[in-house]
Structures are given as structure tokens and as C-alpha cells.
């Protein structure tokens, strides 16, 4: 070990040394849980509360849609005369999202079984399907734009873009943790017993699928009487 | 036999490392995951916002001293900004986070005997969301402020020329998520981190209140979030779901807004009720009366809170059937509220009341909440509400409940836990004088407004008929008096930090777990799992002259254990 005479140690380095110990100290965290299993149980509970919150958010949006859809004012009709029907492509995107829900479940199953190679491919497929979903939604929007179906065209258009956009934003938000999870699966970072982050991601992904089904059904029912 | 009398160090002298001295430097606070430090940071932020919001209140009151312009340069438009800022700051930055996020963060894990909340990182995240929300409000001021009223009603908010509407909407959106994450954290903490032996019905009532509040935070706040986002979209592109010319519905905004904001008033009042339950029992040194009723009435209030939003909209044109239903359900909120008040009164009855500052605040709460609650009945009654809607009567009513109850509860709780948070005792003389000044000033300010309102003075007006002036002057003078009380409180608390006596572990004789750890608590709260008993059974406590605090007497404890209260 290198020995330095005390006289050579300047005040500055001494102060730096002090700072360093403080920096280490600030990171001392207290784990409120007795073990990782109880931490994961709390995490799953917390995540379900968060999903409940988001569920209320989407429910309110759909309720708002129903209110303006049932608007009886003939002066300001819900549909304009040129409103197109919902694009059929959205059926494909719905299917994509549902399959990604299955593949993320398969990822968790594989990690739990300890087969990391299978988990890696399932996680990759999930990430790919999520991107394909967003792409298909984008193409649907583009097709509607080409039919001059703009957000200001009618309340039908406004609600369509806002509702699908709101959902797409949540999918984009989900891509970040999904990418992190995919990388961690590739590196084999998850313990078969408590794959915490992956589990929360799976819960969120199923939620996105469920919300999309409800949202798509609402939009579809709302557009039924048109044409 | 020889005995050696060596001075033995007391626990207070040995224990020098507490959460305040555990680590030093700016980053040790800014990046802390310690719930106590986060609670203290919230408290500083909330009190700073309270100062700003209070200044706007004084400006509003000063402007109303005379009909027309009073303060040079304050036009009607500027006045609109004043009351909007006062309302928005007080609601979103002060009262909603004050008790759950500031006091709750500090006390909740210690009351549970836990080392921290369930998700410490999320907790710090919530704090920074609060800071971001507050910053957006400042940005909004720099961009021209906002004059929509704190309720952001459409079409004011979609057509107002003020430049700061979108930033403040975004700010409140962010604050909403801060509130949601705090609520989530507390629900999980209460469920998963209760120590062995602490059943649901052994929790301190403050925890029940925080728990009920957290349920509302998690379930109601997202509705506000999406409503504000829809409003931002509508204001940005000038078309939207609240615009009637396009088939939208402006009343839908009111429904959405009050679906959150009515539960939000229970987010504000429920934690204060929890504090009062604890203050009354501890400072009257008597077991709380009707524990289960108080606990379950918090849950009942939380459930009712979701069913009464329409009483804000009796004159909005909603159907008479809805009006009747909302009126009826609003009346029933009186039941759980009264259950609490009667139980508090019964706790006081034959209690051994110490008239400490926290107790004075608790007694103030009882008076002010009763007045606030009873005047709510006038407003829940359909025909009188048509007359009183949008008058000063409403202003007085909700100030009695929001300020006279929620905020007084918060200040009372702050005095109650101040020795625990800072390790210092404040001057009882100063603290109780300030409380009396605030109580008198508050009533002079707001009781006058009941009269103004019932005579027909509309709220939010810049100008008024000369016959109202005398009442406006009384109200304004009252507000100055009340403000002096708050400044005295600030002086009392801040001076205690410098010259205050060292606080004992248990200065008031409390039985819940936070009084079992030192003042201020050590970094990880408890070295060993504390023992859990009935936190309202004070029979084993004895005043100790040496430490100037209460200590557990083994003889009394053994006696109490022989005769359990329940």
C-alpha cells in the first residue's frame, strides 16, 4: 500500500475524502422488508394499485366518449358527413397486442422454469410485437388522414384520435421498461424465484391488452350506427 | 457489601445519531430515501407554499376593503389572478399534500414500527413530482399567470387570454401523480408492513385516516389527470370534448372535475380527522371512545366521497332526479362525520385534559368543523342552495372545512409531532397564544362571510354594493389578525429550533409507537421490533421529572396488563 506522509495530505484531499464517505453514507438505504419474497408480494400489490389508477383514467375517458357520443344536439352532430368507418387494420393490431400478452406470459413462465434461452426469445418476440402494434396503429392513423379524417373534422374524429393516442402513449411508455426487461432477460439477470421487474412488466402488458379491448369495443360500438 | 454509584448514561445521551445527523450535505437530503427526511422536505415545501398562498389571500382581502379598486394597479383582471392563485396554491400545493405527504410520511412508518415506507424510491419520486408541479406553477406565473379560478371551468379555461393556463394545468397533472404515488405507497405500507400483533383494529386512528385518504387518492386523482389533459388538448388545438359548438359538453368538465375534487376535499379533511383523533385522546390522557366507529367512519366517508360530487352542480342544469339523489347522499355524509365528532366529545368527557397547544388546535377543530359541517347542510338542501350558490356563504363554508378544519388539524399535528421531528420543545405560551389569535381571527374573517353570502354577495367579485363594505372591512381586519397569529406560530417554531429545550422521547404521554423511539428518531427508526399494544391505553405511562417527559412505569404496566381495557 502506498504510504503518504501526513504533511503531504493537503486540506483539499482531506475534504474530498470526507465528501466521499458522506457520498457513500447517503446511499445507505434501509430495506423495510424482511426478505425478497415479501418485497415482491408488496411490489405486485403496489403494481395492481397503479393499474387500478390507470384503469380509472381510461374508464373516465371512455365514459366521456359515451357522453358526447349520445349527444342529441342536431346542430352539432357527432359524425360529419364524410366520416370513414374504423379501419380494418386495427383488427390486426388488436391481434398483435393480444399475442404479445401471451408471449410475455411465456417469458415469465420460462424464467420461472429456469430456461433462459426460451425466455430470451419470448422477450424478444414481445418487444417486436409491441413495436409492430405501434406501427400498425400509426398506419391506421395515416390511412385515415389520407381520407381527410382530421382531429378537428368532427367529435367522432377527435375522440378517435385522442382515445387511440392515449392508449398508444401508454404502449410507448411500456416500451421503456419492456426494453430494460428484455436486456435483463438476455443477460440472465432474473432469479427464477422472484423475477420482480419482469413480473410487473407482465402485469402492465396484460393491462394494456385489456384496456385496448375495452377501448376498441367502445369505439366500434360508437361507430356502429354510422353508415 | 459495597455498592458503587457510578453515573449511568441515560438512553438520550448514548443515542446521538439521529436521522438529522446521520449524514450531512445537500445531496444527503436531496437523494435521501429516508421517509423522515422526505417528510421534512415536504413540510418545508408545503409551508413555503402556504406562505405564498396566504399572501395572495391577504391581497384578495385587502383589495376588497373598498368597492372598486383599493390597491393601486390591481385591476379586475389582476384580482382574478389573485384569487385563482390563492385557491390553486392552497388546494393543490398546500392542503392536499400537507398531512399525508408531509406529516404522514414522517409518522406513518414509525407508527407502524417499520423502518420505512414500502417503496422508498417511489416516495422520493413523489416528492420530486411535487417539486416539478410547483415549478410548473411558477412557470405559469412567468408566462402570464392564470385567472380561471382554481376549478378551471370550461369555457373560461379554454378561452381565457391568460398565458399561463397550460403550464398550470400540466403542473396540477404532475401534482396529481405525486399524490397518487404517495397514496399507493401508503396503502401497500399499511397492508404489508404492519408489525406482528398490530391488527387492523389496533392501528392508531391516524393510520386509518391516512389509509382511507390513500384509497381516494388512488381512485379519484386519475380522473382529474385525464380531465386536465383533455383540457390541455382542447386549449392547444382549440377544439375538444368540452366545446358545445362541436357536439362536446362543457358540463361534462364539471362532472369530471368534481368527481375528483369532491373526493379531494376528503383527501384534505380525513387525515386531519385522524390527527384530531390522536390529539384528543393523547392530550386528554383518556382512551379514545368508540375506536371502531371512528376507524370505520373514515372508510364510510371515503366511500361516500365518490357519490356526492353532483352537489356542486345543482344549478348546472343536471336533471332534477340527479339533484335530489345527490342532495340525499350529501346529507348522509353527516352521519359518519357526526359519529367522529360525538366520539371525540365523549373522549374528552371526564378526560384529564392538558391544555397544550396541540389540544387547543384540536378544540378549535371541533368548533370550526362543527360550524363548517352544519353550514354544509344549507348547501346540500336544494332550494336554499339555489339562493346561496356562488355566494360568500359557500366561501365561508369551505374555508371552515378546508382551513378551519383541515389546515388547523395540520398545524395541530405539526405542534404535536414537532418535538419528535426536530428534537426541540417550543414555547407553550407562544404556541397557545398564536392558536388563540388564529382561532379568533379565523372566525372574524369567515363568520362575517356567512352573513355577506346570505345577503347575496357573490363570490369572486371585484366590485360590490356599498352596503356590503362594513362586512368586508371586518372580514379583512380579521384576516390580518389571523395572519399575525400564523407569523407568531412561525416565530414560535423557528425560535424553538435555536433555543428550544431538548425534547424527551414522549413529551405528551402518547401511546403509539412513534413515542417509543427517541426524539428525533434514529436513522432506521427502531433497532429492534417494538412491542405493540393498545396505543390508546395510557395507564402504564408516568410523568418523569428528570426527563420532563412520560416514561413507561413497569409497575403500572404490570397493573394495566392484569386488567385489559377490551
Amino acid at each position: 500500500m502506498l504510504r503518504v506522509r501526513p504533511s503531504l495530505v493537503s486540506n483539499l484531499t482531506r475534504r474530498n475524502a470526507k465528501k466521499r464517505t458522506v457520498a457513500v453514507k447517503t446511499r445507505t438505504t434501509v430495506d423495510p422488508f424482511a426478505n425478497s419474497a415479501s418485497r415482491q408480494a408488496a411490489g405486485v400489490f403496489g403494481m395492481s394499485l397503479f393499474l387500478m389508477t390507470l384503469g380509472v383514467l381510461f374508464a373516465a375517458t371512455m365514459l366521456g366518449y359515451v357522453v358526447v357520443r349520445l349527444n342529441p344536439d342536431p346542430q352539432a352532430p357527432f359524425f360529419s358527413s364524410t366520416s370513414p368507418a374504423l379501419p380494418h387494420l386495427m383488427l390486426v393490431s388488436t391481434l398483435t397486442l393480444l399475442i404479445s400478452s401471451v408471449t410475455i406470459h411465456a417469458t415469465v413462465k420460462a424464467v420461472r422454469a429456469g430456461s433462459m434461452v426460451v425466455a430470451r426469445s419470448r422477450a424478444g418476440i414481445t418487444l417486436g410485437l409491441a413495436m409492430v402494434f405501434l406501427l400498425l396503429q400509426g398506419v391506421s392513423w395515416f390511412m385515415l388522414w389520407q381520407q381527410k379524417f382530421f382531429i378537428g373534422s368532427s367529435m367522432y374524429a377527435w375522440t378517435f384520435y385522442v382515445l387511440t393516442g392515449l392508449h398508444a402513449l401508454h404502449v410507448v411508455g411500456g416500451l421503456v421498461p419492456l426494453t430494460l426487461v428484455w436486456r435483463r432477460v438476455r443477460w440472465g439477470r432474473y432469479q427464477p424465484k422472484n423475477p420482480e421487474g419482469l413480473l410487473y412488466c407482465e402485469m402492465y402488458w396484460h393491462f394494456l391488452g385489456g384496456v385496448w379491448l375495452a377501448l376498441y369495443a367502445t369505439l366500434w360500438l360508437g361507430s356502429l350506427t354510422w353508415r | 457489601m459495597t455498592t458503587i454509584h457510578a453515573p449511568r448514561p441515560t438512553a438520550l445521551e448514548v443515542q446521538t445519531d439521529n436521522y438529522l445527523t446521520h449524514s450531512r450535505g445537500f445531496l444527503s437530503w436531496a437523494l435521501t430515501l429516508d421517509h423522515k427526511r422526505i417528510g421534512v422536505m415536504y413540510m418545508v415545501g408545503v409551508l413555503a407554499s402556504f406562505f405564498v398562498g396566504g399572501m395572495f389571500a391577504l391581497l384578495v382581502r385587502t383589495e376588497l376593503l373598498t368597492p372598486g379598486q383599493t390597491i393601486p394597479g390591481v385591476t379586475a383582471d389582476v384580482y382574478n389572478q389573485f384569487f385563482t392563485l390563492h385557491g390553486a396554491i392552497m388546494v393543490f400545493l398546500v392542503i392536499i399534500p400537507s398531512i399525508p405527504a408531509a406529516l404522514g410520511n414522517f409518522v406513518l412508518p414509525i407508527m407502524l414500527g417499520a423502518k420505512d415506507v414500502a417503496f422508498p424510491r417511489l416516495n422520493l419520486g413523489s416528492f420530486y413530482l411535487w417539486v416539478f408541479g410547483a415549478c410548473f406553477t411558477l412557470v405559469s406565473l412567468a408566462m402570464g399567470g392564470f385567472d380561471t379560478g382554481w376549478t378551471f371551468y370550461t369555457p373560461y379555461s379554454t378561452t381565457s387570454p391568460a398565458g399561463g393556463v397550460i403550464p398550470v394545468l400540466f403542473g396540477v397533472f404532475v401534482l396529481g401523480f405525486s399524490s397518487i404515488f404517495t397514496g399507493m405507497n401508503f396503502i401497500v405500507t399499511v397492508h404489508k408492513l404492519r408489525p406482528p400483533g398490530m391488527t387492523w383494529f389496533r392501528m392508531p386512528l391516524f393510520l386509518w385516516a391516512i389509509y382511507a385518504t390513500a384509497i381516494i387518492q388512488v381512485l379519484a386523482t386519475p380522473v382529474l389527470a385525464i380531465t386536465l389533459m383533455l383540457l390541455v388538448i382542447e386549449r392547444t388545438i382549440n377544439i375538444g370534448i368540452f366545446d358545445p359548438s362541436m357536439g362536446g359538453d362543457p358540463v361534462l368538465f364539471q362532472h369530471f372535475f368534481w368527481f375528483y375534487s369532491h373526493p379531494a376535499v376528503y383527501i384534505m379533511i380525513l387525515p386531519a380527522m385522524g390527527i384530531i383523533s390522536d390529539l384528543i385522546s393523547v392530550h386528554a390522557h383518556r382512551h379514545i371512545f368508540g375506536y371502531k366507529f371512528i376507524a370505520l367512519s373514515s372508510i364510510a366517508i371515503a366511500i361516500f366521497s365518490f357519490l356526492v360530487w353532483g352537489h356542486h352542480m345543482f344549478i348546472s342544469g343536471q336533471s332534477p332526479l340527479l339533484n335530489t339523489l345527490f342532495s340525499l347522499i350529501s346529507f348522509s355524509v353527516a352521519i359518519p362525520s357526526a359519529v367522529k365528532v360525538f366520539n371525540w366529545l365523549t373522549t374528552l368527557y371526564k378526560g384529564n385534559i392538558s391544555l397544550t397547544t396541540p389540544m387547543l388546535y384540536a378544540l378549535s377543530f371541533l368548533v370550526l368543523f362543527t360550524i363548517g359541517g352544519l353550514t354544509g347542510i344549507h348547501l346540500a338542501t336544494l332550494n336554499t342552495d339555489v339562493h346561496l350558490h356562488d355566494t360568500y356563504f359557500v366561501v365561508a363554508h369551505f374555508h371552515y372545512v378546508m382551513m378551519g378544519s383541515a389546515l388547523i388539524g395540520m398545524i395541530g399535528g405539526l405542534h404535536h409531532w414537532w418535538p419528535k421531528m426536530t428534537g426541540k420543545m417550543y414555547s407553550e405560551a407562544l404556541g397557545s397564544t398564536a392558536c388563540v389569535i388564529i382561532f379568533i381571527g379565523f372566525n372574524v374573517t369567515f363568520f362575517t362571510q356567512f352573513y355577506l353570502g346570505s345577503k347575496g354577495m357573490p363570490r369572486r367579485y371585484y366590485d360590490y354594493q356599498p352596503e356590503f363594505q362594513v362586512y368586508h372591512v371586518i372580514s379583512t381586519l380579521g384576516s390580518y389578525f389571523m395572519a399575525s397569529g400564523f407569523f407568531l406560530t412561525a416565530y414560535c417554531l423557528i425560535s424553538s429550533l435555536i433555543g428550544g429545550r431538548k425534547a424527551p422521547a414522549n413529551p405528551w404521554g402518547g401511546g403509539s409507537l412513534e413515542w417509543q423511539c427517541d426524539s428525533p428518531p434514529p436513522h432506521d427508526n427502531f433497532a429492534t421490533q417494538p412491542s405493540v399494544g393498545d396505543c390508546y391505553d395510557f395507564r402504564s405511562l408516568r410523568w418523569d421529572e428528570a426527563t420532563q417527559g412520560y416514561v413507561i412505569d413497569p409497575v403500572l404496566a404490570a397493573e394495566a396488563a392484569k386488567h385489559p381495557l377490551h
Side-chain angles (χ1 to χ4, degrees):
Chain A
M1 205 176 107
L2 188 72
R3 295 188 70 180
V4 185
R5 269 183 295 144
S7 58
L8 290 179
V9 181
S10 69
N11 274 339
L12 192 68
T13 49
R14 223 181 270 154
R15 215 175 296 142
N16 279 348
K18 204 174 165 194
K19 261 188 194 162
R20 220 170 293 130
T21 55
V22 168
V24 170
K25 254 191 167 178
T26 52
R27 265 184 246 120
T28 56
T29 57
V30 181
D31 187 358
F33 293 102
N35 52 49
S36 58
S38 60
R39 186 171 57 240
Q40 184 182 303
V44 168
F45 183 40
M47 193 65 198
S48 40
L49 285 174
F50 179 60
L51 296 182
M52 220 191 293
T53 299
L54 287 183
V56 172
L57 190 143
F58 278 102
T61 321
M62 287 184 261
L63 199 68
Y65 172 83
V66 172
V67 170
V68 290
R69 172 67 187 83
L70 299 178
N71 160 48
D73 185 0
Q75 298 292 316
F78 186 73
F79 299 101
S80 71
S81 52
T82 54
S83 300
L86 291 182
H88 292 303
L89 192 61
M90 294 187 102
L91 285 172
V92 185
S93 60
T94 307
L95 201 65
T96 318
L97 194 61
L98 292 185
I99 296 172
S100 75
S101 216
V102 174
T103 55
I104 196 164
H105 181 67
T107 315
V108 176
K109 239 177 132 182
V111 168
R112 284 235 162 106
S115 45
M116 294 304 164
V117 184
V118 181
R120 216 175 293 171
S121 76
R122 298 296 179 271
I125 293 172
T126 311
L127 191 62
L129 284 174
M131 289 172 183
V132 170
F133 172 79
L134 284 174
L135 190 76
L136 290 175
Q137 295 292 83
V139 172
S140 300
W141 275 28
F142 184 70
M143 282 160 55
L144 288 169
W145 260 318
Q146 282 198 322
Q147 297 177 56
K148 302 227 180 328
F149 185 66
F150 302 122
I151 188 162
S153 308
S154 63
M155 190 51 82
Y156 172 50
W158 196 92
T159 47
F160 172 81
Y161 284 119
V162 169
L163 263 68
T164 51
L166 183 71
H167 182 265
L169 270 179
H170 282 80
V171 178
V172 172
L175 276 185
V176 179
L178 196 63
T179 310
L180 291 177
V181 160
W182 170 66
R183 281 176 26 162
R184 286 180 64 105
V185 168
R186 271 174 49 131
W187 296 336
R189 289 281 173 82
Y190 287 110
Q191 304 294 320
K193 269 200 170 161
N194 43 36
E196 276 184 58
L198 176 60
L199 215 56
Y200 308 147
C201 209
E202 185 204 5
M203 289 170 76
Y204 183 71
W205 216 254
H206 292 330
F207 169 81
L208 281 183
V211 160
W212 174 250
L213 281 183
L215 216 151
Y216 187 52
T218 311
L219 287 173
W220 179 70
L221 281 172
S223 69
L224 263 193
T225 46
W226 173 246
R227 283 170 205 279
Chain B
M1 198 172 95
T2 322
T3 42
I4 300 166
H5 290 284
R8 293 183 63 169
T10 65
L12 272 177
E13 284 161 4
V14 173
Q15 182 68 54
T16 49
D17 179 46
N18 62 49
Y19 82 100
L20 293 168
T21 57
H22 182 69
S23 51
R24 286 181 193 284
F26 175 75
L27 282 183
S28 79
W29 280 82
L31 299 178
T32 184
L33 299 178
D34 183 351
H35 69 98
K36 298 181 285 299
R37 287 191 168 193
I38 294 173
V40 169
M41 292 196 291
Y42 263 119
M43 187 53 88
V44 171
V46 162
L47 291 177
S49 311
F50 178 57
F51 174 75
V52 177
M55 285 298 125
F56 280 113
L58 290 180
L59 283 171
V60 167
R61 281 312 327 158
T62 306
E63 177 50 48
L64 289 170
L65 269 173
T66 60
Q69 198 176 66
T70 307
I71 311 172
V74 175
T75 58
D77 286 336
V78 177
Y79 173 79
N80 287 348
Q81 295 219 357
F82 282 174
F83 74 71
T84 302
L85 275 165
H86 165 66
I89 290 176
M90 285 302 194
V91 169
F92 296 114
L93 285 173
V94 181
I95 309 185
I96 290 180
S98 67
I99 300 177
L103 287 175
N105 241 323
F106 190 93
V107 179
L108 178 133
I110 314 184
M111 274 188 164
L112 286 173
K115 292 190 185 302
D116 210 312
V117 292
F119 311 119
R121 279 187 185 76
L122 187 67
N123 199 19
L124 185 68
S126 301
F127 172 71
Y128 280 108
L129 284 178
W130 184 90
V131 173
F132 282 132
C135 289
F136 273 111
T137 314
L138 290 179
V139 168
S140 155
L141 283 182
M143 287 174 66
F146 52 106
D147 58 356
T148 58
W150 77 274
T151 48
F152 306 118
Y153 268 21
T154 50
Y156 302 140
S157 49
T158 43
T159 53
S160 156
V165 178
I166 288 179
V168 76
L169 289 175
F170 198 73
V172 174
F173 175 82
V174 174
L175 287 173
F177 275 93
S178 165
S179 179
I180 289 173
F181 290 135
T182 304
M184 261 175 61
N185 222 332
F186 287 177
I187 293 180
V188 177
T189 309
V190 168
H191 271 269
K192 300 286 180 188
L193 288 176
R194 271 178 296 123
M198 189 185 277
T199 56
W200 281 90
F201 287 111
R202 274 196 169 179
M203 287 200 303
L205 286 164
F206 180 57
L207 296 187
W208 270 100
I210 290 278
Y211 182 75
T213 307
I215 293 175
I216 309 178
Q217 284 175 306
V218 167
L219 290 182
T221 318
V223 178
L224 178 78
I226 188 63
T227 310
L228 295 179
M229 279 303 103
L230 293 176
L231 204 57
V232 168
I233 297 172
E234 177 155 349
R235 203 179 148 88
T236 316
I237 60 174
N238 284 320
I239 30 177
I241 198 166
F242 305 124
D243 178 6
S245 67
M246 219 178 110
D249 187 357
V251 179
L252 179 66
F253 176 85
Q254 297 186 23
H255 277 293
F256 274 171
F257 182 81
W258 289 114
F259 184 83
Y260 165 72
S261 291
H262 194 79
V265 304
Y266 295 103
I267 293 178
M268 305 181 216
I269 190 76
L270 269 173
M273 290 169 157
I275 287 180
I276 297 304
S277 305
D278 274 13
L279 293 199
I280 283 189
S281 177
V282 169
H283 294 267
H285 307 284
R286 185 155 183 268
H287 195 285
I288 191 87
F289 188 88
Y291 173 93
K292 275 193 184 173
F293 280 88
I294 298 185
L296 293 176
S297 64
S298 292
I299 303 295
I301 290 177
I303 295 168
F304 274 124
S305 76
F306 287 99
L307 307 172
V308 296
W309 80 90
H311 68 213
H312 295 268
M313 302 166 57
F314 284 156
I315 62 158
S316 70
Q318 69 185 355
S319 81
L321 175 66
L322 266 185
N323 278 349
T324 315
L325 288 175
F326 277 125
S327 171
L328 189 72
I329 306 172
S330 303
F331 280 128
S332 29
V333 180
I335 300 169
S337 312
V339 162
K340 282 182 191 287
V341 172
F342 288 125
N343 279 310
W344 292 327
L345 287 177
T346 325
T347 307
L348 287 173
Y349 177 68
K350 286 189 176 173
N352 186 7
I353 298 172
S354 308
L355 276 182
T356 52
T357 310
M359 187 53 153
L360 287 178
Y361 278 104
L363 295 176
S364 307
F365 177 99
L366 280 182
V367 175
L368 301 177
F369 178 68
T370 306
I371 297 175
L374 290 178
T375 49
I377 293 176
H378 298 74
L379 296 171
T381 311
L382 289 172
N383 44 4
T384 49
D385 183 68
V386 172
H387 172 67
L388 295 171
H389 188 91
D390 261 351
T391 66
Y392 265 79
F393 192 92
V394 178
V395 176
H397 162 71
F398 71 71
H399 277 89
Y400 264 87
V401 187
M402 296 294 84
M403 190 188 174
S405 310
L407 210 94
I408 290 289
M410 194 276 269
I411 304 282
L414 182 62
H415 281 86
H416 183 64
W417 285 300
W418 183 265
K420 187 57 62 186
M421 293 172 96
T422 62
K424 300 284 181 171
M425 297 301 286
Y426 49 84
S427 155
E428 274 294 330
L430 279 182
S432 44
T433 312
C435 176
V436 172
I437 293 176
I438 291 170
F439 181 76
I440 296 171
F442 178 87
N443 281 297
V444 173
T445 310
F446 292 109
F447 206 84
T448 323
Q449 295 184 3
F450 281 125
Y451 188 77
L452 267 177
S454 58
K455 286 287 171 193
M457 171 76 208
R459 70 192 279 201
R460 292 181 172 171
Y461 272 33
Y462 174 69
D463 202 358
Y464 53 82
Q465 299 293 320
E467 68 254 34
F468 290 131
Q469 190 178 3
V470 59
Y471 305 107
H472 274 299
V473 171
I474 296 172
S475 180
T476 303
L477 293 179
S479 71
Y480 294 157
F481 193 57
M482 176 166 53
S484 69
F486 279 116
F487 281 115
L488 187 61
T489 304
Y491 171 76
C492 165
L493 293 179
I494 293 170
S495 65
S496 81
L497 291 180
I498 302 155
R501 179 166 63 81
K502 192 165 172 33
N506 191 354
W508 315 117
S512 41
L513 291 180
E514 80 270 29
W515 304 113
Q516 283 187 24
C517 68
D518 292 319
S519 305
H523 175 62
D524 55 356
N525 299 345
F526 297 99
T528 53
Q529 185 86 258
S531 66
V532 181
D534 180 351
C535 63
Y536 294 106
D537 183 1
F538 306 116
R539 291 175 302 167
S540 53
L541 292 169
R542 171 177 63 77
W543 174 258
D544 178 44
E545 274 301 326
T547 54
Q548 288 288 302
Y550 286 82
V551 289
I552 296 177
D553 189 312
V555 180
L556 291 176
E559 190 65 29
K562 274 188 218 159
H563 309 284
L565 285 173
H566 293 289

